Amino acid sequence: MEQTDTIARDTARATETRKVFVKTYGCQMNVYDSQRMSDALAADGYEPTQTIEDADLVLLNTCHIREKAAEKVYSELGRIRDLKNERAAEGRQMVIGVTGCVAQAEGDEILRRAPAVDLVVGPQTYHRLPAVVRRARAGEKVIETDYAREDKFDHLPQPDRKIVRARGVTAFLTVQEGCDKFCTFCVVPYTRGSEISRPVAQIVREAERLVEGGVREITLLGQNVNAWHGEGVAKGGSTREWGLGELLFRLAQIPGLARLRYTTSHPRDMDDALIAAHRDLEQLMPYLHLPVQSGSDRILKAMNRKHTADDYLRLVDRIRGVRGDIAMSGDFIVGFPGETDEDFEATMKLVREVDYAQAFSFKYSARPGTPGAEMKFHVEERVKDERLQELQALLTNQLEAFTQSRVGMEMDTLIEKPGRRDGQIVGRSPWLQPVILDETVGRIGDIVRVKVLSAGRNSLFAEPV
Ligand code: 5AD
Ligand code: SF4
């Protein structure tokens, strides 16, 4: 049976290539998932296209974190429905799929609101996508939002070397999924499920394949990446429980892998080994995204963050104590239910104390099914707007000051891609800033030592030293 299936698939591959258009919303984990979905579909004869009009299959890989993100999907589905109808008039089929967190959270509600959709697949079942697409092509409406019992990563094919190369010299690698923290504002524990960590051997194999394909920098991903844990093997062959710190040490041994990053972390899961990795691993870049969400202990408690403002500040001090040049990045929510002017002031105070290099700030958005949505004293939209503006003005000042502080510095830059202007090439600083260089400086994938001559808002202009 399995063999017949393989033969049928190979024949399909030989005779027709179909095109898939994937649009990705939301976080980096969705970017990674979109690539893995494309890889799974490539084995079934689907080639990626950037032109939606050419697509036989359109996938929207969606985000549910805030209301705005989810609503964007429905307006896009309206536009795609018109395209589907135009194609149908020409006698051609266009299959429309919704994947990702909206798929998981809303399931068959999506088919009710957008009947042009043919398939809905949640993040835990991407490995079943080719089979689901085949059923949808045959006219069935398919919903797959169960939590699969099998490990999807065991069933997802790895991209071949050519595809890895085409994706560039930096890559994402999901090592952990889901979250058990249950912050009261957040849908993630419901859409992505409880925490799972991928096994060490699986991660190392995937990282090695990426490096063989020309990747120089890997960013390890997880909704709660520093909660990753797994069974590691010591030199003598004995096994021991590892955390993310130990995993980073292991990955740093892969020859040719020049840079490592990880995101997103929870303050409670920054353990000693991870802090030591920031001290001892030259491959680990001096940049840490460590969301705090609020500077008020009262609000942090209501958010169920499991840390105080002071815990966070002391943690930042410890990390800076071992890696003085680390750039701090964070996430903030303003207008959580019950947030007073005083609470907001505490957030501003914390931001001034930490002095962020980069930050993301949002107005609280009530998400159905989360405890926050049921809380009393929701903050007026106007007040949320004012607070967001004030916070963002401060964070922008800090970002610009951080960028300016790089002028005159010498640093390593990983060359990533051609620049927007002729004759330019763009690299990445250790602190994630784009570095604009003359194209003669090196080739994509090279790490070159440069001196920064001037800076824009977030980008640096440099020349080789
Ligand atoms: N409203 C606003 N922002 C939110 N985030 C998560 N849930 C919500 C919500 N309901 C923000 C948090 C998180 C980031 C990814 O999105 O700051 O760290
Ligand atoms: Fe959401 Fe909190 Fe988990 Fe982050 S740690 S994914 S904010 S519940």
Side-chain angles (χ1 to χ4, degrees):
M1 172 65 201
E2 221 182 331
Q3 210 175 14
T4 335
D5 198 38
T6 317
I7 293 167
R9 221 178 322 158
D10 284 348
T11 317
R13 198 180 315 165
T15 52
E16 52 182 322
T17 329
R18 297 203 178 95
K19 295 214 160 88
V20 55
F21 175 90
V22 186
K23 181 160 181 175
T24 310
Y25 298 82
C27 65
Q28 289 143 323
M29 298 203 52
N30 268 10
V31 174
Y32 175 83
D33 286 346
S34 291
Q35 290 180 347
R36 296 306 296 265
M37 285 193 271
S38 299
D39 298 339
L41 290 162
D44 235 30
Y46 281 87
E47 238 175 42
T49 175
Q50 308 301 325
T51 319
I52 192 165
E53 287 78 7
D54 293 345
D56 303 284
L57 170 63
V58 175
L59 294 178
L60 302 187
N61 192 15
T62 61
C63 172
H64 202 244
I65 197 96
R66 285 168 290 274
E67 191 179 356
K68 245 197 207 151
E71 283 308 312
K72 260 194 222 157
V73 173
Y74 285 104
S75 56
E76 184 68 11
L77 282 172
R79 276 195 294 273
I80 300 171
R81 176 199 54 211
D82 297 343
L83 279 178
K84 178 176 177 159
N85 291 339
E86 281 167 29
R87 263 177 85 102
E90 296 163 10
R92 295 191 301 157
Q93 190 182 22
M94 179 187 266
V95 171
I96 304 179
V98 177
T99 63
C101 294
V102 176
Q104 190 64 41
E106 299 193 1
D108 55 3
E109 169 73 9
I110 296 174
L111 297 186
R112 233 179 31 78
R113 273 186 74 179
V117 170
D118 301 291
L119 64 95
V120 176
V121 176
Q124 322 303 333
T125 41
Y126 290 150
H127 55 297
R128 296 187 190 153
L129 196 59
V132 168
V133 170
R134 270 179 255 141
R135 281 163 62 195
R137 284 191 60 82
E140 200 183 326
K141 297 271 180 191
V142 195
I143 302 180
E144 276 269 10
T145 50
D146 293 344
Y147 287 90
R149 209 169 294 154
E150 69 276 14
D151 177 358
K152 71 176 171 195
F153 292 108
D154 279 339
H155 292 79
L156 282 167
Q158 290 287 337
D160 66 32
R161 226 183 254 196
K162 239 175 48 204
I163 293 177
V164 173
R165 197 165 288 278
R167 285 179 184 158
V169 294
T170 60
F172 293 135
L173 198 175
T174 292
V175 299
Q176 181 279 334
E177 284 193 297
C179 182
D180 293 340
K181 293 281 188 296
F182 289 93
C183 299
T184 52
F185 51 81
C186 186
V187 284
V188 166
Y190 312 95
T191 53
R192 292 275 177 164
S194 57
E195 258 174 49
I196 63 122
S197 293
R198 292 179 68 188
V200 175
Q202 210 187 53
I203 296 167
V204 172
R205 218 177 310 128
E206 187 167 330
E208 284 171 347
R209 280 191 67 122
L210 290 170
V211 174
E212 281 162 22
V215 167
R216 310 286 331 267
E217 173 181 304
I218 294 181
T219 303
L220 305 182
L221 298 180
Q223 262 94 26
N224 216 336
V225 72
N226 59 346
W228 179 91
H229 58 98
E231 192 169 277
V233 187
K235 261 199 188 128
S238 60
T239 58
R240 186 167 72 80
E241 182 76 358
W242 279 4
L244 189 67
E246 285 90 351
L247 180 66
L248 285 163
F249 275 97
R250 171 65 190 87
L251 293 172
Q253 289 169 5
I254 299 175
L257 180 53
R259 290 181 162 194
L260 283 162
R261 303 178 186 275
Y262 63 92
T263 197
T264 288
S265 295
H266 191 285
R268 277 287 287 259
D269 294 320
M270 288 301 299
D271 65 12
D272 292 346
L274 188 49
I275 295 176
H278 280 287
R279 183 190 59 208
D280 299 334
L281 273 184
E282 62 169 326
Q283 290 95 330
L284 185 55
M285 291 294 103
Y287 182 99
L288 178 61
H289 183 63
L290 194 64
V292 66
Q293 313 296 357
S294 167
S296 152
D297 287 345
R298 219 174 56 79
I299 296 298
L300 287 169
K301 189 148 195 280
M303 286 176 164
N304 189 31
R305 286 291 293 178
K306 307 178 205 301
H307 62 79
T308 62
D310 191 52
D311 293 337
Y312 182 86
L313 290 170
R314 275 187 292 136
L315 179 59
V316 171
D317 273 354
R318 271 182 70 205
I319 299 162
R320 283 187 166 147
V322 303
R323 186 77 214 229
D325 67 342
I326 201 156
M328 292 303 303
S329 158
D331 288 343
F332 300 89
I333 295 176
V334 299
F336 186 79
E339 187 187 70
T340 61
D341 285 344
E342 222 179 355
D343 294 317
F344 174 65
E345 215 19 75
T347 300
M348 294 291 283
K349 182 164 168 271
L350 178 139
V351 170
R352 279 186 217 104
E353 274 187 61
V354 172
D355 194 7
Y356 286 91
Q358 175 75 264
F360 305 89
S361 45
F362 313 97
K363 285 189 283 180
Y364 172 72
S365 162
R367 308 308 291 127
T370 60
E374 309 296 319
M375 287 180 187
K376 286 191 206 125
F377 309 118
H378 279 264
V379 175
E380 254 181 89
E381 208 51 32
R382 182 186 53 81
V383 176
K384 284 189 203 169
D385 280 327
E386 282 169 13
R387 289 182 187 163
L388 188 67
Q389 264 186 30
E390 201 180 326
L391 175 61
Q392 289 188 337
L394 175 59
L395 290 166
T396 304
N397 276 343
Q398 295 188 344
L399 162 77
E400 288 176 358
F402 181 76
T403 316
Q404 279 303 324
S405 71
R406 307 293 103 172
V407 175
M409 259 188 200
E410 280 185 20
M411 62 183 70
D412 287 340
T413 301
L414 169 60
I415 301 183
E416 282 186 9
K417 57 185 179 195
R420 244 179 275 156
R421 300 225 178 101
D422 273 355
Q424 283 183 344
I425 203 152
V426 184
R428 190 72 63 175
S429 82
W431 304 279
L432 267 185
Q433 299 144 309
V435 183
I436 319 293
L437 296 159
D438 191 277
E439 68 179 354
T440 55
V441 166
R443 285 178 314 177
I444 290 173
D446 289 348
I447 293 181
V448 290
R449 190 88 189 148
V450 300
K451 181 171 180 171
V452 177
L453 303 173
S454 64
R457 197 158 168 246
N458 183 38
S459 50
L460 308 173
F461 298 85
E463 65 178 20
V465 288

